[in-house]
Amino acid sequence: MAGLISAQDGTSLSFTLSSADLNAIKADDALCTASYNCYIKFTSGMITDMAGNAVVAVGDGDADIFMIVQQFVDDTTAPVLSSYSLDMNLGVLHLTFSETVRGSSLKPTGLTLMADAANASHVSYRLKGGETFDGNQATITVELLAVDVLAIKALNLALTQNTTYLRIASSTITDTARVANAVAAIVTPAQQVAQFTADTTAPQLMAFVLSLQPGAVMTLTFNEPVRTSLFDPRLITIQSTGTGTGSSYTLTGGVVSPAVADGVMSFSVQLSSEDETALKVSSTLVKDVSTTFVSVQTGMTQDMSYNPLLAIAPSSAVAANGYVGDSSTAVLVAFNASFQSNTLVLRFADTMDPASFIPAGIVIQNGVRSTAAGGRSYRLTTSYTMSPPGKTMVVRLSDADLLGIDLQTGLARSLATTYLTIAASTFNSVAGYDVVPILDGRGLQASGFEADATRPQVVAFDLDMSQAVLTVFFSEAINATSAFQPAFTLQSTLNGTDAQRVLSLSATSTVTHSADYRALSFQFVPTDFDAITVLENFCTAVSNTYLSVAATGASDFFVLAVVPISSASALPVTNFTADSVVPQLTAFDLDLEHAILRLSFSEIVRANTFRIVELTIQSSATTASAHTHTFSGGVATTTNALTINISLTDDDLNAIKSDALIAKSRNSTFLSWTSQLVRDMANNSIASRTASGLLAAAYLPDTSLPRLLSFDLDLNAGALALTFSKIIRLSTINGATAAVLSSGDGMAVASVNLTGGVASVNDSRILHLTLLHADLNAIKALPALAVSANSTFLAFSTGFAADMSGNSIQPVAVPQAIGCQVFTADSTAPALASFAVNMTSRTLVLSFDETVNVSTFDVMSVVLQGAAQAGAGVAYFRLTGSTTAFTAHDSVFTIGLTSSDYNAIAVQLGLAKDLNSTFLYFASAPVLDMNHNIAAATSSASATACTVYARNVLPPRLLSYGLNLVEGIVYLTFDEPVQTASVVARKLSFVDSNNESIVVDRLTLNTSSATGSNNATIEIAISDGDLLELMAIPSLCTQLANVIIDAESGFATDMFGNVFVGVTGVHAAYFLKDDSIPHCTAFS
C-alpha cells in the first residue's frame, strides 16, 4: 500500500490511501465493507518514533494478530465519471470513474450522447442498451448495441471529439460500498469525450428495389446510415445482367424522394424524367426483375463519418430485390406557363409519347373551376409539341391559342390565374396508357409562371384618307382596350421639325382591331380628320405622312407598353390612300333672325371655291313642284372649314320672306345645289343634289322685333321716311298707331295721333309713309310741333309695322320718342282744295290743301261766281265780311255769311242756287300757311267749283213789319230775300187781336200788291179800296198797339222756292198814322 501521510509528528498517524489502493480495497466485496471485516497489519518499517525506533510490526504473517479497525466510516461519496473514450469503429465505450464501481450495476440507458456540452443543437441520443463484462473496477468497458451505434451515426453524433459529449444519470452505476453510492449525475454541461476513435469503415449498398410506375423510384438500402445530402445518382448504373455483359444505363440525375435528412439506412430516389424515359424506352433494360441490376461507383454516397460508399463492380452487380413495372395511367404532375417563350411545360409522372398529343384536350382556366363566378377558360386548338418522349412535354402555344388566352380577361395573367385541365386522350404514355384526366372543378394550378416581358413594337402603319382610317401594325397581339389614341401622332416630317403640321389623335377616336389583334385601326373623329385636311401638305402624300408613338399608346395583354417612336425619328407611312371621297353638304341652318345661312359639310371645304349662285332654296323636297329661289349673292366666310356662313343679301332675304311658301318653317326649308357649289381640300367637287332638296337641320325664324332706327319728315311731301332694322312688309304699315310729338321726353306740349297714312310700294328696310291729309294738317296746325328736327319726334305701338315674318315692331313709348333725323320744312304755298256752300246755314266751308293760319284769312278776297269762268251775265259777289272769327289753325274753316252778303247772293238768280251755279276764286291772297307761305290769288277765269252744295231749305221768316198809312204801304222784312212776284197780298190780313180766338174785326187785303225788286224787305202798296176799308174799321190800325196782322202760308216764297209759313197776331214794329185831313175827292 502506499499513501500520503497528512499528520504532524506525534503519537497519531494519518495518511491518505492512494487511488489505486483505495480502488483495490473497494473492488473486494469482502474487505473493509464494514468494521467487522476491516483489519490492518503493517511491518516495523512503517514508521519510527522520534528517536528513530521502528514501530512494532502487526500481523506480519499472522492474520490473527491483525489489528481490527477501531473506528470505521462507511463510503458515502458518490463515484464520479472521470473520463471516457469512444471507439466508433468498434462501437465500444470506456468509462473511467473516480473510484471502483460495480460493473454489474451498469445500466447503459442512463447514458446520453450529445453534440455539444449544453445541447444547444438539441441533438442527443440515449442508449437503448449495451453490456459490460467487467467486475468491480474503476474503468468499465461498454459494448454498444448495433442499434445504438447506427442511431448515433444517424443523428450525426460522435463524428469527432468536438461533437461527442456525454450525460450520465445517477442510476447508471454505483460504487462497491456496503451501502452503494450512485454515480454522480452529469447533466449540464455534458462531459466531452477524452479519447475518440472515428468511424472509418466504408458503407455498403445491401439491396435495391426499382418501381417503373409513373415517377419511377429506386429504393436503396445500406448497411449503416448514410448521408442523403451527399448522394450522387450519377454514380449508379442500371444493368440488364449481373455480369455487365448486357446493356446498361448510367443515371443522369434523380432526387431523394421523399426528401430525408442525412442518417438513414434506406431512401428512395425518384429518377429524373430523362432517366425514367431512357429506361422505359429501352428494349432490354428493366423489363422485369431478371433484367434489373445495379453497379455503383465509389462515393455514390457517404456514411455519417463521410466514408465513401464501397463500390460495386459491373461484373458483380447487385440484383434487384424487387421490381414494379409501369402499369398505370400517366399523371400530369405539374406544369409551367411561359408567355415569354409562349410555351406550356407539362411534367408528367410517366414518360409520354409526344406523337399522341391532342391540343384540344387542354383547357387553360383562371381557377380550379371555370364555371365559378368570374370564371374564364380557353381550350387549345392549334398548339403543338416538338418534345421527344419524356416526362416533360413542351407545348408551343400557337398564335391563335395565345390570342384566345389573351382575350380572356383575367386568364393566365399570373400564377394565381393560371390553371389547367386535361382530358385523358391528350397524351399517351410510352406504355400506351392515357393521362389521368384533370377535370373542371379540380383544375391544376401552374407551378411556375413567366409573364410576357417583351414590349410590343410598332412595325408599320397605313393611312387611308378616303376612309379616314389610321392602321397601325404591331409585333405582337395588342390589347385593343389599352389603346390611348392621343399617344399616336401624325406629322408631316420625319424629324418633326414642322410644328404646325402635327396631330395627336383625339381620345374619342374609334379603335378597332384586326382578327389577330396585331393591328389597330383608328377611325378619325371628324375633328381630327378636319384638323388634318384643313392644312396644306399634311397627310396628302407618302412624302408628308409620318407617325410617332408614345409609350402610353398601347400595351399587350400583359400590360407591357409599346416601344415608343420619337417625333425626331418618326415612322414613314407604308401605304397611303389619298382622299377621293366627294364632300357632302350634310346639313344646313337657316337663321332668318340674323340673315345667316350656315352650310355644314362632311369634310373641310375650300372657301375660295364656294359659289352661292349654285345654291337654291325651296319650299319642299321635290324641286319640280316646289317654290324656289336661287341665291344671287351674299358674303361668305373665307376660311377653309367644315362650315360656310353666308350673310344673305337683302334681295335674297326679301325674296325668301316674300314668298308665301319658302322657309316659313323648318318643314318648308330645303336646299338643292349643283356640283359646282364647292370643292374639298383634295379638290373633289361636292356631290350635287338637284332633284330633291335637303331639309334644314335647324331653322331659326325671324322672331326678333324690328326696330325703327331713324326717320325723316318732309312737310312738303307730307311723308315720313322710316329706316328700320329689318325689312318691313309694306302692307303692315299702320300709321294710325303712331304719334308725332314735339319732344321725346314725355313732356311734349304738342302732339298728333296719326290716323293713317299710305306707305310706298315695296317691302324694304326703308319705307315712305305719306301722311293722311288730315294728319298732316293736324301737325301743321300746332305751332310747337314739327317746326324743326328738334320739335319732331315719333312714338308708336306694336301695330305700327311688322317685318316679313310677321314680327311686330318694337314699340316706342312717348317718353322715349325717337327724334327726327332729317327735317324738311313746308315751303309750299297753301291752295284751296275745295269748298262747300250751305245756304241753309249761310256758310262757306273752305278746305285748303294744308293747314293755314286762319287768323290771317282775308274774307274779302273771296268772290262767289255763278260759273267757272267770269263773263257777261255771270253773277258774282265778293264777300264783305263774315259772322265767324278766324282764329284757329286748320286746313278747313267756315265763313259765316253776313245777312247782307247772304241776301246779296240770294237775290242773284244765277248765283249759288245750286252746285252748277256756285264757284269761287280769290281776288287777292287769301291766307298764310303755318310756315308763312302765302296762298296765291286765283283767277275768275278758272274759279273753283263747289264740291258740296246745300240749298236753303228753310222757309222765309217774317222778322218785322211796319205800316205807313200816310203812304198806304206795308213794309215787310224777312230773314232772307223773297221773290216780290211771289207775294200774295190777299193772304195778309189786319186783325184787332193777336189772339185768333177773340178776333172780331179783320181786314184782308184783296186788291193790294207787292212792288219793287226781290229783297228781304218788300213793300205792299195798299190799294185805295183796301185802305179805305181798313180805315173804316175803328178797331184796326189806329195806333201801334192795334196794328196786328195775320199772314197765311204761301204769302211769299224765298229765292230758293221755300214757301212762307203763315203767322198770326204779329204786331207791327212801327206805325205811321194817317193824320191828314180827309177831303172829298169825289161825290155823286
Side-chain angles (χ1 to χ4, degrees), residues 639-654:
T639 302
N640 300 335
L642 277 172
T643 59
I644 292 180
N645 295 340
I646 306 106
S647 295
L648 300 178
T649 64
D650 280 354
D651 288 345
D652 287 336
L653 196 62
N654 201 23

Side-chain angles (χ1 to χ4, degrees), residues 237-250 284-285 290-296 312-319:
T237 298
I238 310 294
Q239 302 179 180
S240 62
T241 66
T243 60
T245 58
S247 59
S248 65
Y249 178 79
T250 300
T284 57
L285 281 172
S290 66
T291 58
T292 305
F293 294 84
V294 164
S295 62
V296 296
I312 299 176
S315 59
S316 56
V318 177

Side-chain angles (χ1 to χ4, degrees), residues 56-93:
V56 176
V58 175
D60 186 13
D62 192 351
D64 57 356
I65 61 172
F66 289 169
M67 185 177 288
I68 195 167
V69 68
Q70 300 297 309
Q71 183 179 359
F72 185 84
V73 179
D74 284 335
D75 178 9
T76 60
T77 302
V80 176
L81 178 65
S82 300
S83 65
Y84 68 94
S85 65
L86 178 62
D87 187 335
M88 290 302 293
N89 267 326
L90 300 177
V92 174
L93 179 65

Side-chain angles (χ1 to χ4, degrees), residues 38 75 103 153 221 295 297 409 549 645 647 676 747 778 800 1027:
C38 188
D75 178 9
K153 290 181 177 182
T221 301
S295 62
Q297 299 179 46
T409 303
V549 182
N645 295 340
S647 295
Q676 299 304 308
M747 305 297 290
F800 180 56
L1027 183 59

Side-chain angles (χ1 to χ4, degrees), residues 679-752:
R679 292 176 176 269
D680 67 10
M681 298 299 292
N683 286 321
N684 297 306
S685 294
I686 192 168
S688 65
R689 185 167 183 163
T690 56
S692 63
L694 175 67
L695 177 65
Y699 171 83
L700 184 61
D702 182 5
T703 58
S704 65
L705 303 182
R707 294 176 296 107
L708 178 66
L709 302 179
S710 64
F711 77 95
D712 302 338
L713 176 60
D714 186 342
L715 288 178
N716 276 323
L720 292 170
L722 306 168
T723 300
F724 296 92
S725 60
K726 300 167 68 175
I727 297 174
I728 297 297
R729 190 177 292 279
L730 181 69
S731 61
T732 65
I733 293 294
N734 183 4
T737 62
V740 179
L741 305 102
S742 61
S743 68
D745 56 4
M747 305 297 290
V749 297
S751 65
V752 170

